[in-house]
């Protein structure tokens, strides 16, 4: 036996799955999960999505768990992008969806089956516990993380957009993103079914709406824990078509801003962090539960068969940091795309669809055209005629359809900061107010390349300047996607 006692703080997906896997690997170790909510307390949130890639990773580590999670899930569904006037199909949404409560019930059963002790209704702090290893899986507001903040190096940024997690008491017939205006407000719904009679209905809005409609009045007047009934009434009216006479279900639902958490290191002393306690990635990538469960797999494997806790924690972090960082990068770009939706929502639906699918830089125009040829054809029509029928030839064609080089003076901007809507970016954009053409260059790492494409898009959406992005040859496909999705007018490739 390598550890006598392992304590897990938090009975969410990360904590429960880690506890089960650790106990299966180390049957003689006592594994205890402390969860502050009693089993009678309704959990926050409605459904969450799980991709087939995530399900394969779970199946490889724990086939039985994968089977039970799949049984409790709602099968994949189509995805549409809807504006007030049009609806276009999007591909890539054949995810499973599962109610958060159902997922926790399955993971609880699996943990108990493995021999884990679960202490429900016990809020614990790390100082209350004695154990060889303490697994901090206490979520985005982790008190354990706060206690170790200095050793961990905590970074937190708060999103500009506002979201509210709601549900419906019927299954929408396909997943969709839908934008609606009502009075002075602009709202977006992200909806998908997670049982045959329930859907997640996640709503978003922005500061312009918040101020114009006075959505902040509820927050100022009401204690946490209640749902924002006034906003729910507004949203029910705005999405009357989509709700088809049903009401929005709320569970402590109120406007919130997403908190992005990152740590310089994921462990300190005998305490290791996983799931939302260690990192968060914007919900529009639908990856938080996935990352939490994959962390649990890696941690249980790193701990197995060694009594060297520090080595196990280091191995866990080394293995998990690269994929987590990649998802965080994609999620951050997705977040900024949705937070600036107001600048796009009046574009043709096909154009928005192409922009949406390529927003994080990980899907090419060719992939989009293979899956949704008609939508792609409509979105690409503005680049002119002669479009090849073979999607693999689209990148070359887009290179010939870019806005030609200009004789006008070009303002050069060196840029690498991912937050293209922050103060630093505001200063740059203001300084370019009279520029006729802007050329953005910078480092060649993925984050910097994405950042200058996103800054070019901001400039393009808010001014008349022509935008040129300099890119390394390796990012040619991302560059042509940026041109096709109107993030920039031209790309310049270099070795
Ligand atoms: C609006 C929104 C939509 C989302 N949609 C998706 C999606 O579609 N797909 C997806 O994969 N993810 C989604 N997520 C993310 C997902 O909910 C989280 O990433 C996931 O729940 C993280 O799991 P976790 O176990 O780390 O933390 P949590 O699920 O937050 O669990 C932490 C647990 O710790 C308990 N706890 C906290 N403090 C203590 C304490 N001191 N003592 C005892 N117990 C404690 C809490 O009660 C909680 O049960 C979404 C998130 C948001 C905000």
């Amino acid at each position: 036996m390598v550890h006598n006692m392992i304590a897990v703080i938090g009975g969410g997906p990360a904590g429960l799955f880690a506890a089960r896997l650790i106990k299966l690997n180390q049957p003689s170790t006592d594994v205890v999960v402390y969860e502050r909510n009693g089993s009678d307390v309704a959990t926050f949130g409605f459904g969450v999505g799980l991709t087939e890639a995530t399900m394969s990773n779970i199946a490889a580590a724990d086939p039985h768990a994968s089977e039970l999670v799949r049984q409790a899930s709602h099968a994949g569904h189509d995805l549409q992008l809807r504006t007030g006037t049009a609806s276009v199909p999007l591909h890539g949404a054949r995810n499973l969806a599962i109610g958060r409560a159902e997922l926790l019930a399955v993971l609880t059963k699996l943990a108990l089956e493995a021999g884990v002790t679960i202490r429900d209704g016990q809020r614990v702090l790390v100082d209350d516990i004695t154990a060889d290893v303490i697994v901090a899986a206490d979520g985005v507001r982790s008190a354990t993380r706060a206690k170790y903040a200095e050793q961990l190096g905590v970074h937190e940024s708060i999103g500009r957009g506002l979201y509210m997690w709601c549900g419906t008491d019927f299954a929408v017939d396909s997943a969709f993103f839908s934008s609606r205006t009502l009075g002075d407000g602009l709202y977006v719904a992200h909806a998908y079914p997670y049982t045959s009679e329930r859907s997640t209905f996640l709503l978003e809005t922005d500061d312009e709406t918040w101020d114009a409609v006075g959505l902040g009045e509820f927050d100022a007047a009401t204690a946490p824990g209640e749902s924002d009934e006034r906003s729910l009434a507004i949203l029910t009216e705005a999405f009357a078509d989509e709700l088809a006479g049903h009401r929005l279900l709320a569970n402590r639902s109120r406007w919130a801003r997403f908190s992005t958490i990152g740590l310089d290191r994921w462990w300190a002393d005998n305490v290791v962090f996983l799931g939302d306690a260690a990192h968060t990635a914007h919900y529009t990538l639908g990856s938080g539960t996935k990352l939490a469960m994959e962390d649990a797999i890696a941690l249980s494997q790193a701990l197995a068969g060694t009594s060297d806790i520090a080595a196990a924690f280091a191995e866990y972090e080394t293995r998990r940091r690269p994929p987590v960082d990649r998802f965080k990068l994609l999620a951050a770009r997705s977040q900024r795309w949705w937070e600036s939706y107001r600048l796009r929502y009046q574009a043709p639906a096909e154009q928005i669809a192409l922009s949406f699918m390529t927003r994080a830089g990980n899907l090419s125009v060719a992939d989009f055209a293979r899956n949704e040829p008609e939508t792609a054809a409509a979105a690409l029509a503005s680049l002119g005629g002669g479009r090849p029928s073979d999607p693999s030839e689209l990148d070359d064609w887009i290179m010939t359809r870019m806005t030609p080089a200009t004789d006008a003076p070009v303002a050069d901007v060196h840029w690498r900061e991912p937050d293209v809507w922050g103060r630093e970016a505001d200063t740059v954009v203001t300084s370019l107010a009279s520029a006729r053409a802007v050329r953005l260059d910078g480092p060649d790492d993925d984050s910097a390349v994405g950042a200058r494409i996103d800054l070019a898009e901001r400039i393009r959406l808010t001014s008349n300047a022509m935008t040129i992005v300099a890119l390394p040859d390796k990012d040619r496909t991302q560059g042509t996607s940026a041109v096709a999705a109107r993030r920039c007018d031209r790309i310049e490739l270099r070795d």
Side-chain angles (χ1 to χ4, degrees), residues 5-12 15-16 19 30-41 108 111-112 115-125 128-131:
M5 166 72 164
I6 294 186
V8 179
I9 308 179
L16 288 170
D30 283 333
V31 181
V32 182
V33 175
Y34 297 92
E35 168 53 49
R36 68 181 168 194
N37 290 335
S39 45
D40 53 334
V41 175
T108 299
L112 292 172
V116 171
T117 304
I118 299 182
R119 303 243 162 90
D120 273 335
Q122 281 200 32
R123 178 179 192 274
V124 292
L125 298 174
D128 304 335
I129 303 173
T130 308

Side-chain angles (χ1 to χ4, degrees), residues 149-280:
E150 220 163 278
Q151 280 159 273
L152 299 172
V154 182
H155 306 270
E156 177 169 16
S157 67
I158 304 297
R160 294 187 181 83
L162 293 131
Y163 71 88
M164 192 188 300
W165 205 346
C166 295
T168 62
D169 59 359
F170 72 104
V172 290
D173 52 9
S174 108
F176 59 82
F177 304 115
S178 177
S179 59
R180 288 284 187 274
T181 52
L182 179 72
D184 295 329
L186 170 66
Y187 308 95
V188 177
H190 304 230
Y192 56 88
Y194 66 89
T195 73
S196 56
E197 50 198 32
R198 286 276 187 281
S199 309
T200 293
F201 210 92
L202 190 131
L203 287 316
E204 287 184 331
T205 194
D206 57 15
D207 274 331
E208 284 88 335
T209 300
W210 177 262
D211 292 338
V213 182
L215 296 177
E217 285 164 22
F218 171 82
D219 256 12
T222 319
E226 289 179 40
S227 292
D228 180 349
E229 298 297 341
R230 176 171 173 252
S231 292
L232 289 167
I234 293 171
L235 293 162
T236 304
E237 189 181 343
F239 291 98
D241 288 356
E242 316 284 16
L243 290 169
H246 292 261
R247 63 194 180 89
L248 283 172
L249 300 178
N251 175 1
R252 290 171 276 165
S253 304
R254 53 200 292 154
W255 295 112
R257 292 181 201 266
F258 191 80
S259 170
T260 300
I261 302 283
L263 301 181
D264 291 337
R265 52 180 296 185
W266 291 0
W267 56 280
D269 304 337
N270 67 333
V271 184
V272 64
F273 292 78
L274 73 171
D276 277 9
H279 47 73
T280 58

Side-chain angles (χ1 to χ4, degrees), residues 433-474:
S434 56
R436 289 171 54 199
V438 180
R439 182 176 178 280
L440 295 115
D441 206 342
D444 287 347
D445 59 279
D446 291 348
S447 167
V449 166
R452 60 185 180 273
I453 290 174
D454 292 348
L455 183 61
E457 184 181 29
R458 174 175 173 180
I459 295 167
R460 204 176 181 286
L461 286 169
T462 55
S463 79
N464 294 319
M466 172 180 169
T467 51
I468 305 152
V469 178
L471 295 170
D473 219 28
K474 71 174 173 64

Side-chain angles (χ1 to χ4, degrees), residues 60-81:
D62 188 343
H64 180 50
S66 142
E67 208 177 295
L68 292 200
V69 169
R70 192 178 285 282
Q71 276 168 19
S73 298
H74 192 66
H77 39 64
D78 292 333
L79 177 65
Q80 295 174 353
L81 186 135

Side-chain angles (χ1 to χ4, degrees), residues 351-415:
Q351 193 68 48
I352 302 175
L354 175 60
S355 180
F356 166 75
M357 293 305 295
T358 56
R359 73 198 183 287
N362 59 341
L363 188 98
S364 67
V365 177
D367 287 337
F368 181 65
R370 271 182 205 107
N371 288 289
E372 292 301 338
E374 285 172 26
T375 312
L380 295 171
S382 62
L383 289 181
R387 189 172 41 81
S389 53
D390 179 353
S392 63
E393 293 171 13
L394 277 172
D395 279 356
D396 288 345
W397 175 75
I398 293 166
M399 291 297 288
T400 67
R401 308 304 306 177
M402 295 188 300
T403 308
T406 176
D407 292 334
V410 177
D412 278 305
V413 173
H414 187 89
W415 186 259

Side-chain angles (χ1 to χ4, degrees), residues 10-17 33 35 100 104 107 137:
L16 288 170
F17 199 38
V33 175
E35 168 53 49
R100 180 175 159 90
L104 293 182
L107 293 175

